Structure formats: C-alpha cells, structure tokens
Amino acid sequence: MSDIHQTIEDTIKTNAVVLFMKGTAQQPQCGFSATVVRILYHLGVEFKDVNVLQNQEYREGIKTYSSWPTIPQLYIKGEFVGGCDIVREMFESGELRSLFEEQDLISA
Amino acid sequence: MTDSVAETMKKKLEAAFAPAELEIIDDSHRHAGHAGARPEGESHFTIHMTSARFQGLSRVARHQAVHKVLATELAGPVHALSLNLKSDQTP
C-alpha cells in the first residue's frame, strides 16, 4: 500500500466520521462539499474534515483509495458511504440519520 | 464536427445501460468563472438515468458503474457530475 493510502486508512480508522472535502467545515471551497457539511451539521454529528486542497497527494490519493473520482467523500466507521449525491439522497430518505443512530454517532 | 461532451456521454450511457430514461443537463452556466469551469462550457453536468441494469446494485456501485463508462470525460473536460440513478420507473 502506498504511503498516502496508509495515511488515509489510518484517518478513517481512527475517526468515526471523516469528510474528505475541498476547504474546511468552517469554510468550504466548493458547493458540493458545503452541502455535505450542512447535512452533517444538521444531523448534529461530529466529524473530522480533511481539506484535500491543502495536499495534492491527498486529493489524488483519496480518489484511487475509494475508486471514486470526485470530492467530497464521506466515510463512516471506516466504510465509504458516497459523495454529495448519495449523501443527499440518504439524508432525504432518512437512511443517513438511521445509519448514524445505528452506529451510536447520534442519539435516536 | 466532433460530438459535444453531452452527446458523447449520451451515446456511451445508452450503449452501456440501455436506459429507460436518460436526461443530461448541462449546469456549466451556473458555475461560470468558478474553479473547474471552462470558457467553452460543458464542465458541470447533472444526469438523471433509469436503467434495469441498476437492479440489485448499491448506490455506490451504480455511481461507480457510470464513472467507469464516463472515465475519459471525468478525467478530461467534466469537472463535476451529479448523478441521480434509479433502477426502475417507480420512485
């Protein structure tokens, strides 16, 4: 495994919820990243934000690690959940809230 | 005359998924001047597609199947692609 893939794996294993995004949770630099941040804040879940714009290696590495060509990317308990479209779909259907509840990341 | 990016994606998606419904929307004008936008447009798209081929596939797997078919476009002119993928007509 390459160094960057190892770093990514360590990050998603040591943080329950990780959002790889453009910009920071405080200051997203892209509308799609901002949408996911808003949803996570709305659900009241704690997450680690990783700004891929700060590190070109991360920006490319996360795409190959997840086999997913775009950013943002959401990981929950080490599992890739999806990008902006999937997160929004799961939020609208209530599945995302259920998933966080099942994982004890928010209270029911 | 070469096909537009939208036309190329339409042909590829029709060949790969035989969709019951396919709509490709060019959102590029909404991102003019923004990072990743190209002066000639055709950088930001939304695709709505319904295909029986998605049956039994997770959301992530559906998206990955489309990403694979459009890999050339995603590595080139297409900066952002929003996907709404359904397996059948019922919501």
Side-chain angles (χ1 to χ4, degrees):
Chain A
M1 195 183 297
S2 67
D3 287 353
I4 186 65
H5 283 186
Q6 188 63 56
T7 307
I8 290 167
E9 190 154 303
D10 291 346
T11 306
I12 62 170
K13 293 219 161 123
T14 50
N15 297 277
V17 184
V18 183
L19 180 63
F20 295 90
M21 62 178 291
K22 291 184 177 174
T24 61
Q26 299 303 317
Q27 208 159 21
Q29 305 263 319
C30 154
F32 300 102
S33 290
T35 297
V36 177
V37 167
R38 273 200 303 273
I39 289 172
L40 295 177
Y41 278 156
H42 180 83
L43 291 173
V45 66
E46 277 184 39
F47 64 99
K48 177 175 174 59
D49 53 338
V50 175
N51 181 2
V52 303
L53 297 179
Q54 295 257 321
N55 184 329
Q56 189 62 29
E57 223 187 346
Y58 249 124
R59 190 172 178 174
E60 294 312 314
I62 190 64
K63 295 178 185 176
T64 50
Y65 183 84
S66 313
S67 304
W68 195 262
T70 53
I71 288 155
Q73 297 187 15
L74 181 67
Y75 275 83
I76 300 175
K77 292 276 174 95
E79 296 281 330
F80 176 58
V81 173
C84 179
D85 295 326
I86 290 180
V87 170
R88 189 166 42 198
E89 247 177 73
M90 289 178 70
F91 170 64
E92 285 168 358
S93 69
E95 282 166 88
L96 192 62
R97 180 183 289 277
S98 305
L99 179 60
F100 283 129
E101 285 172 2
E102 280 162 23
Q103 300 285 342
D104 276 328
L105 295 166
I106 52 175
S107 48
Chain B
M1 163 117 191
T2 51
D3 282 338
S4 66
V5 176
E7 192 61 31
T8 304
M9 293 199 295
K10 184 167 179 273
K11 286 181 182 168
K12 287 185 176 182
L13 292 170
E14 281 172 346
F17 299 102
E21 276 182 34
L22 174 60
E23 188 185 6
I24 300 178
I25 302 159
D26 185 346
D27 301 317
S28 306
H29 62 282
R30 290 169 48 202
H31 301 269
H34 155 281
R38 302 182 309 144
E40 59 271 52
E42 296 214 281
S43 57
H44 292 65
F45 290 94
T46 298
I47 295 176
H48 297 274
M49 180 160 62
T50 304
S51 167
R53 309 257 167 102
F54 291 141
Q55 250 160 34
L57 293 185
S58 70
R59 287 196 178 89
V60 168
R62 288 177 193 182
H63 282 242
Q64 279 170 333
V66 172
H67 293 155
K68 199 170 165 187
V69 168
L70 301 180
T72 312
E73 286 68 33
L74 281 165
V78 176
H79 170 73
L81 183 63
S82 188
L83 299 174
N84 179 6
L85 308 174
K86 292 190 169 62
S87 63
D88 55 41
Q89 305 276 8
T90 54

